[in-house]
Structures are given as structure tokens and as C-alpha cells.
């Protein structure tokens, strides 16, 4: 809607409006606009309609001392000119600051990216040094061990890929309660068989069974260096040797698998079963102590910022499948501490749940990863398993 109103102005009343003239106020969309037409335009004065902000050509605005053409004082004009220059300089400064901030951000991102790549590279190159902690040297000769350890026999066995492994075999005491049980222990990722001698002594003396301790490649004087595939081969060689020795003495072979030894032993047993290498090998039972479902799952919990599924060489992620493939008639027992600081309880439980046959879950309150044998009920649980499940 357009509304037009006309008024006549006299110069005496409106000194900035040319006279005589006609003013027109037009309102469109709520925005008023004032125009005027000088009456002189009709008498040949060349007058035209102009906005109020512009003067009629024949009636220029009177000059006022100290003001410019547009009514600005000299100081105002200078300030305006200086303000424009200052604004331009300010914009330039902001641009320079923004550019510097962008460059700094890109520099930091580059440094962070290079640092992350470096961490991934180091983790990939040195990962086995972070996963396996072997005592490589030969333990003391059995002839130099304390008198309580007399009777231990040294032996060696060769793997399918030609490496020579070292081990100890401690026959059962003649009057032992479980003299017909022969244990093969596959230990964890640190130390050597020498570090398991204390466990072997108490297990043998309390339960009256035979104990065999085997060192993987790279451990305790054994040749080679530790890898997942290599340790599975070592487990196969150890099981074959221990099964032969148990058959000679009329004993039942029970695997006692500690920590990562659970992964090595279960994969080895499954490999022998699937590959036909288990012919003539009878495993009467398996005990897992601080067992794990896989190494990569534990590592992901600790180093979630690293792409470990891509970086890890030895994931041990086939352990649960190996446990599932075991003979369902073979008894299985899992022993785990609910305060295990190395292999979380959920990881051991996942492995236990993968077993399909006869199984026993033994959880030790306040038990850690390396002190289960010190917990009340440890040897009693083994005693019951050998008696009730293994039948020896």
C-alpha cells in the first residue's frame, strides 16, 4: 500500500528546503521517503525531484564556516579518513593474526601427526620386546640346585621347524598321592623354567605328582626367539614329549597352562588334534591358570589410541576357537584371581565360556596374576580336579 501526502514548505520555516517547493511523503512497506519538487522547475529553472538528502541544483546548501560540502567539520573529516585507514589496518592485523594462528595450528597438527606415526612405528618394530620378557640364559645345572630339588632330570626336544628346546622333568615321588598324574607346565611370557621351580616343588610335594617344565624358544637356553606361531610349535613338541614320558610310566598327562601358556597350549593341543598329530597322545585334562582369550583384546584396553588390530603381529586371537575345538569329554578347569592385574577376570571368563565340555571354574577372591598358589584353596582345587575329574 502506498500512501502519498503533499505539503508546501516556506524557506523561512524550513531553511534547508528550497522554496517555493512541494514536498511529497511516500510510505511503502512502512518505510517513509520524502521527496520534493521545486516550483522553479516549471518556469525553466531546471528543477527536478530530488531526495531530501540532495540539494536542488539551483539552490545549493549554504556554506558554513568550518564545514565541508557534506556538512562535515575538518576534524570530523580527518577522523573519518583516519578511521577508515585504521579499520583497514585493523583488518590487516586480524588477517595476519589469523594467518599466524592457522600456521601454528597446522604446525601443531603436523607435529602431532608425526608423533602418532612415530609411536605406531615404534610399537610395530619393538612390539615383541613389549610382549615377551624371556630370561634367555640357561638356568643353573640341576646338579647345583638345592638338595630339595634333587631328582630333576634335564631334557631337550626338537620342534617341527628344527629348534632345540630345553626342559626339566621331575618324576613323581614313589608314595605320592597322585603319582599317576604327570603335569606339563607351559609358563607365562616372563622368566624361564627356573622361575617356576618354586611352584613345581610345592605342587609335587603337596600333591605327589610328576612335573615337567618346558622353556619356549628364546627362553632358558632354548634356541630361537619367541613368536606366536613358534610358541605353538613349542607347545606341540612339549606335549608330544610329555605324552611319551607319561605313557612310559603309566601316568595320565595333564596340561597346566599359565597365562600366555594357556594360548600356546590350547592352540598346540587343537593343532595336534586337527592335524592328526595327536595319534597316540592322550591328554587326560587341562588346567588353565590366569588364562586369556587373546592378547589383542587386553592390549586394546590398555592402548586404545593405537590401531592394534593392524599393528600386532602376535594377537593370539585363535585361543577361544582352539578351546571350543577340544574334546568335550576331556575335563577342563580354569583358575583365576578376581584381582588379576595382568589378565582381567573377564578375559579368563571368556576363555572358560568357550570350552564346550566338562569344566570347572575356580575363582580366588583377592587373587592376583602371579600369586594364586598362595591363595587359600589353591592346592585343594588341584587335588579335587585330579581326583574327581582326571581320576588319578
Amino acid at each position: 500500500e502506498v500512501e502519498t501526502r503533499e505539503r508546501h514548505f516556506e524557506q523561512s520555516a524550513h531553511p534547508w528546503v528550497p522554496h517555493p517547493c512541494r514536498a511529497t511523503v511516500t510510505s511503502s512497506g512502512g518505510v517513509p521517503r520524502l521527496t520534493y519538487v521545486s516550483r522553479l522547475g516549471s518556469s525553466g529553472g531546471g528543477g527536478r525531484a530530488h531526495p531530501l538528502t540532495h540539494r536542488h541544483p539551483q539552490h545549493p546548501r549554504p556554506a558554513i564556516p568550518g564545514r565541508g560540502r557534506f556538512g562535515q567539520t575538518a576534524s570530523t573529516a580527518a577522523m573519518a579518513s583516519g578511521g577508515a585507514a585504521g579499520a583497514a589496518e585493523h583488518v590487516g592485523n586480524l588477517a595476519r593474526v589469523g594467518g599466524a594462528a592457522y600456521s601454528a595450528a597446522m604446525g601443531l597438527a603436523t607435529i602431532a601427526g608425526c608423533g602418532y606415526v612415530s609411536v605406531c612405528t615404534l610399537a610395530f618394530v619393538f612390539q615383541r620386546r613389549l610382549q615377551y620378557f624371556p630370561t634367555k640364559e640357561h638356568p643353573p645345572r640341576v646338579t647345583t640346585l638345592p638338595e630339595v630339588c634333587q631328582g630333576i632330570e634335564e631334557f631337550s626336544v626338537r620342534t617341527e621347524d628344527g629348534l632345540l628346546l630345553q626342559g626339566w622333568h621331575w618324576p613323581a615321588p614313589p608314595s605320592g598321592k597322585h603319582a599317576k598324574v604327570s603335569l606339563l607346565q607351559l609358563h607365562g611370557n616372563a622368566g624361564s623354567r627356573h622361575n617356576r621351580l618354586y611352584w613345581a616343588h610345592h605342587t609335587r610335594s603337596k600333591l605327589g605328582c610328576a612335573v615337567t617344565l618346558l622353556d619356549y624358544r628364546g627362553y632358558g637356553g632354548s634356541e630361537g626367539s619367541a613368536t606366536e606361531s613358534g610358541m605353538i610349535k613349542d607347545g606341540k613338541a612339549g606335549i608330544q614329549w610329555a605324552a611319551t614320558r607319561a605313557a612310559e610310566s603309566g601316568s595320565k598327562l595333564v596340561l597346566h597352562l599359565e597365562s600366555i601358556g594357556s594360548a600356546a597350549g590350547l592352540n598346540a593341543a587343537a593343532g595336534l588334534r586337527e592335524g592328526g598329530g595327536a595319534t597316540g597322545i592322550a591328554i587326560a585334562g587341562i588346567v588353565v591358570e590366569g588364562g586369556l582369550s587373546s592378547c589383542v583384546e587386553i592390549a586394546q584396553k590398555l592402548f586404545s589410541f593405537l590401531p592394534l588390530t593392524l599393528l600386532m603381529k602376535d594377537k593370539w586371537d585363535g585361543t577361544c576357537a582352539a578351546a571350543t575345538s577340544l574334546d568335550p569329554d576331556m575335563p577342563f578347569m580354569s583358575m583365576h584371581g578376581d584381582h588379576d592385574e595382568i589378565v582381567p577376570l573377564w578375559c579368563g571368563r571368556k576363555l572358560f565360556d568357550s570350552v564346550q565340555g566338562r569344566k570347572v571354574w575356580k575363582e580366588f577372591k583377592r587373587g592376583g596374576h602371579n600369586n594364586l598358589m598362595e591363595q587359600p584353596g589353591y592346592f585343594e582345587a588341584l587335588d579335587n580336579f585330579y581326583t574327581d575329574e582326571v581320576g588319578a
Side-chain angles (χ1 to χ4, degrees):
E1 179 181 358
V2 178
E3 179 183 2
T4 303
R5 299 179 183 178
E6 294 186 351
R7 293 187 59 186
H8 295 278
F9 295 90
E10 298 297 335
Q11 186 176 7
S12 59
H14 302 279
W16 298 107
V17 179
H19 78 91
C21 71
R22 182 178 72 253
T24 302
V25 179
T26 303
S27 176
S28 177
V31 180
R33 182 176 177 82
L34 174 64
T35 60
Y36 67 90
V37 178
S38 174
R39 294 179 185 175
L40 297 178
S42 61
S43 59
R48 296 186 303 274
H50 299 279
L52 186 59
T53 54
H54 294 75
R55 298 300 300 165
H56 190 281
Q58 294 184 351
H59 298 276
R61 179 175 294 173
I64 298 177
R67 293 182 179 269
R69 179 178 179 183
F70 297 103
Q72 296 175 322
T73 62
S75 60
T76 304
M79 289 176 63
S81 176
E89 182 179 359
H90 181 63
V91 171
N93 290 336
L94 287 178
R96 285 190 292 273
V97 171
Y102 176 79
S103 299
M106 290 301 295
L108 290 175
T110 301
I111 293 172
C114 291
Y116 183 76
V117 171
S118 299
V119 170
C120 291
T121 302
L122 291 173
F124 180 78
V125 172
F126 298 105
Q127 61 180 275
R128 285 185 173 132
R129 296 187 182 183
L130 302 174
Q131 191 172 7
Y132 307 112
F133 308 95
T135 299
K136 299 181 179 181
E137 298 77 16
H138 275 280
R141 293 295 178 184
V142 293
T143 55
T144 65
L145 295 175
E147 185 177 354
V148 71
C149 298
Q150 295 304 310
I152 295 178
E153 305 169 5
E154 294 181 337
F155 74 93
S156 60
V157 60
R158 195 166 296 276
T159 65
E160 62 186 76
D161 56 348
L163 296 182
L164 193 65
L165 308 181
Q166 306 296 326
W168 285 340
H169 176 74
W170 205 347
S175 58
K177 179 178 181 180
H178 297 289
K180 294 302 180 180
V181 172
S182 182
L183 304 180
L184 169 63
Q185 195 222 40
L186 298 180
H187 59 70
N189 66 337
S192 70
R193 64 186 183 278
H194 187 227
N195 302 103
R196 276 70 187 182
L197 191 57
Y198 180 79
W199 171 87
H201 165 67
H202 283 279
T203 302
R204 179 179 179 270
S205 61
K206 293 179 182 297
L207 301 177
C209 56
V211 179
T212 299
L213 304 176
L214 179 71
D215 269 322
Y216 312 111
R217 57 190 65 199
Y219 287 77
S222 296
E223 297 175 351
S225 57
T227 65
E228 177 179 348
S229 60
M231 291 169 67
I232 294 174
K233 293 182 177 70
D234 301 342
K236 291 179 180 179
I239 292 173
Q240 290 170 328
W241 187 94
T244 301
R245 185 60 185 262
E248 292 173 353
S249 61
S251 303
K252 294 184 176 181
L253 175 62
V254 176
L255 305 184
H256 193 105
L257 311 177
E258 172 199 319
S259 191
I260 203 171
S262 64
L266 292 175
N267 280 282
L272 289 171
R273 178 179 171 84
E274 294 171 2
T279 304
I281 296 177
I283 300 176
I286 295 179
V287 176
V288 167
E289 183 174 333
L292 50 89
S293 55
S294 75
C295 286
V296 68
E297 291 177 308
I298 299 174
Q300 284 176 325
K301 296 290 185 180
L302 298 174
F303 308 103
S304 58
F305 59 93
L306 293 176
L308 294 176
T309 54
L310 300 176
L311 293 178
M312 280 193 74
K313 299 176 182 177
D314 297 345
K315 300 181 179 68
W316 295 98
D317 53 358
T319 306
C320 287
T324 302
S325 70
L326 295 175
D327 184 351
D329 293 328
M330 182 180 62
F332 180 94
M333 181 169 70
S334 182
M335 310 173 77
H336 217 104
D338 63 359
H339 283 61
D340 194 316
E341 69 282 5
I342 305 298
V343 180
L345 189 65
W346 62 264
C347 195
R349 189 74 198 191
K350 182 177 180 180
L351 174 63
F352 177 78
D353 292 340
S354 300
V355 178
Q356 303 300 310
R358 299 159 51 191
K359 55 185 179 180
V360 177
W361 172 262
K362 179 61 178 178
E363 183 176 330
F364 297 90
K365 302 298 183 183
R366 298 180 297 278
H369 189 69
N370 297 310
N371 65 351
L372 289 190
M373 67 171 293
E374 302 170 5
Q375 303 303 312
Y378 176 84
F379 290 106
E380 289 80 358
L382 291 176
D383 185 16
N384 294 335
F385 182 77
Y386 300 157
T387 302
D388 301 336
E389 304 297 335
V390 176

